[in-house]
Structure formats: structure tokens, C-alpha cells
């Protein structure tokens, strides 16, 4: 059962999943970071399934087919313009649970983390071009870092954590077992990467190889950090 992407949401409810929340998302994360199943199976949103109203988890306008919906239960009645009024802000334990479940699902469904395959609801419009009626989950910092309110900046921070989590998850075995290489690395893994990148094959990961890796990552919508880890290996080979 192929699934194409994971879309992250906040429920705009309290810290406890409601029946309505459970209709709309496949997984819900309560205020203590515990995971709850929604009413619909992930398979109900698989490509090729009938999308009759009520027969699947409707979480993202015009983009439910092939999409797994994960929701953090939070942000009840939150006014976009007034963060001071947010009575149910997202908690760090909820973010950690979101990252862990996303990493697990990446392994289970063979989803490689890119901006187009793992994204927040607020990123759907800027990244995939599908209008979402002003949805803003998440254009605010969930990690205490940026206050830019740019959903892609927030998404990149979260995706970096997912990629790190996938590295250590058992699911990483689905990817070729090659060691992570970076500038300064030497040896046959570097030669393999250079061959795939089409640069001079000398087995030494220098600035030119790094530049080629960053360009490759940018082209494939991977985090352009110049490090060849499991995700970049999977895309390269
Ligand atoms: Zn949403």
C-alpha cells in the first residue's frame, strides 16, 4: 500500500482528542505526547481507494489521497495574530512524539523525507501549490528556535529532526547500509558517492564533492547540509 506523504497538523482543539478530531486524522498526539489512533486506517487514504465522503480521513483540502494525517492535539480557539492568547500551545513532548511517529511511518511506508513528502499543513500551499484556506498549522516555532512564522523554516527544523530519528530507527535498515560521509571522509563509500554524483573519483571528500552533494540535495528537495546520510544515499543510488 504506497503512501506518498505525511501532513502534520494541529487539531485546533484541546489537549484531548475529540471524536471529530479522530474522524479527520490517522494519528493524534495528546497533551502528554501519547499517540491515539484515528477512526480511519491509513489504508483508507491509499491511492486508488474510493474517496466517498466519510470513508477516509479528510485532513488536507484536495490532498487526502496518499496522505497520512498526523495531528498534535492543541491550539484550541487560537487567534493567529495573538500568540499571547493561545491557551493550548503545542508542548515539547508533543513535538517529540510527532517526530518519532513520523520517523516510524517513513520506515514503514518507505517515505523519504523531503519538503514535498513530509510537511506541515501550512506548507502545503507554498510547497505543493494546493490552496488551503489560510491554514497556519504550523507557521509558528515548535522548537523554541525561530519566530519567523515562515512555515517552510519551521518545517525544515522539524524535518531535520525526523531525518536524525530515521538514522537511528530500525526502519533505517530499509535503506542501503552505508556509513554517513561528510567533508573529510575518505574511502570506498566516498568513491561510490563521487561516482553517483559525476565528480572526480578520488575517494577523498573535499570541498568540490561537498558542493556537488549540496547541489544534488537541493535538486532532490533533501536537506542541503552536504552530509551523505541514509536519505541522501537512498536518493543517490
Ligand atoms: Zn491542518
Amino acid at each position: 500500500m504506497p503512501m506518498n506523504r505525511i501532513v502534520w497538523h494541529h487539531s485546533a482543539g484541546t489537549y484531548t482528542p475529540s471524536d471529530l478530531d479522530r474522524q479527520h486524522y490517522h494519528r493524534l498526539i495528546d497533551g502528554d505526547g501519547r499517540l491515539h489512533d484515528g477512526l480511519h486506517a491509513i489504508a483508507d487514504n491509499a491511492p486508488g481507494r474510493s474517496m466517498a465522503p466519510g470513508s477516509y480521513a479528510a485532513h488536507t483540502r484536495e490532498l487526502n489521497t496518499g496522505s497520512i494525517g498526523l495531528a498534535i492535539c492543541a491550539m484550541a480557539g487560537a487567534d493567529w495574530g495573538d500568540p499571547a492568547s493561545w491557551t493550548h500551545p503545542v508542548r515539547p513532548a508533543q513535538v517529540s512524539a510527532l517526530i518519532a511517529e513520523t520517523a516510524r511511518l517513513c520506515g514503514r511506508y518507505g517515505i523519504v523525507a523531503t519538503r514535498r513528502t513530509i510537511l506541515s499543513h501550512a506548507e502545503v500551499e507554498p510547497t505543493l501549490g494546493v490552496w488551503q484556506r489560510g491554514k497556519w498549522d504550523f507557521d509558528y516555532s515548535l522548537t523554541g528556535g525561530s519566530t519567523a512564522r515562515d512555515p517552510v523554516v519551521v518545517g525544515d527544523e522539524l524535518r531535520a529532526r525526523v531525518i536524525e530519528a530515521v538514522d537511528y530507527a530500525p526502519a533505517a535498515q530499509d535503506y542501503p547500509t552505508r556509513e554517513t560521509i561528510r567533508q573529510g571522509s575518505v574511502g570506498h563509500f566516498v568513491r561510490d558517492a563521487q561516482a553517483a554524483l559525476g565528480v572526480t573519483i578520488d575517494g577523498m571528500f573535499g570541498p568540490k564533492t561537498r558542493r556537488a552533494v549540496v547541489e544534488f540535495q537541493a535538486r532532490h528537495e533533501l536537506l542541503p547540509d552536504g552530509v551523505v546520510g541514509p536519505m541522501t544515499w537512498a536518493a543517490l543510488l
Side-chain angles (χ1 to χ4, degrees):
M1 173 185 49
M3 297 300 288
N4 305 323
R5 70 187 71 77
I6 296 170
V7 183
W8 292 323
H9 302 263
H10 64 218
S11 64
T14 68
Y15 290 132
T16 306
S18 70
D19 286 345
L20 187 68
D21 296 339
R22 282 158 42 79
Q23 284 173 27
H24 287 287
Y25 308 106
H26 294 108
R27 302 269 192 279
L28 302 103
I29 297 161
D30 71 21
D32 294 321
R34 285 183 305 240
L35 215 55
H36 301 257
D37 281 328
L39 296 177
H40 292 287
I42 288 172
D44 291 347
N45 286 52
R49 292 291 291 259
S50 138
M51 296 302 269
S55 69
Y56 63 95
H59 56 88
T60 304
R61 185 186 163 276
E62 301 282 313
L63 203 79
N64 288 300
T65 298
S67 295
I68 301 171
L70 301 188
I72 287 178
C73 296
M75 302 301 277
D79 173 2
W80 182 88
D82 184 14
S85 76
W86 298 357
T87 57
H88 293 74
V90 174
R91 293 171 170 167
Q94 294 181 297
V95 179
S96 298
L98 182 78
I99 300 300
E101 181 61 5
T102 301
R104 197 188 69 79
L105 291 168
C106 281
R108 168 74 178 74
Y109 292 96
I111 297 170
V112 174
T114 71
R115 284 181 177 172
R116 300 177 73 86
T117 56
I118 296 183
L119 67 171
S120 73
H121 198 175
E123 290 180 279
V124 168
E125 196 170 311
T127 299
L128 300 179
V130 183
W131 180 57
Q132 296 297 319
R133 296 196 174 101
K135 295 291 183 182
W136 53 283
D137 47 334
F138 319 119
D139 74 352
Y140 48 90
S141 174
L142 295 183
T143 57
S146 85
T147 52
R149 300 203 73 163
D150 177 338
V152 180
V153 170
V154 175
D156 280 348
E157 288 179 11
L158 296 172
R159 276 183 290 276
R161 289 180 61 182
V162 169
I163 289 165
E164 197 179 337
V166 167
D167 271 356
Y168 295 101
Q173 287 159 9
D174 295 349
Y175 298 100
T177 49
R178 287 166 180 273
E179 65 185 53
T180 294
I181 55 171
R182 49 173 60 80
Q183 192 163 335
S185 299
V186 294
H188 68 279
F189 287 125
V190 177
R191 300 177 70 88
D192 290 348
Q194 289 172 326
L197 289 163
V199 298
T200 307
I201 302 170
D202 61 5
M204 289 183 287
F205 197 134
K208 282 184 189 146
T209 302
R210 184 179 189 283
R211 206 172 310 129
V213 169
V214 169
E215 283 167 12
F216 175 86
Q217 289 170 324
R219 269 202 312 281
H220 290 79
E221 291 170 335
L222 294 157
L223 192 74
D225 60 1
V227 175
V228 183
M231 295 296 182
T232 302
W233 275 123
L236 263 178
L237 300 172

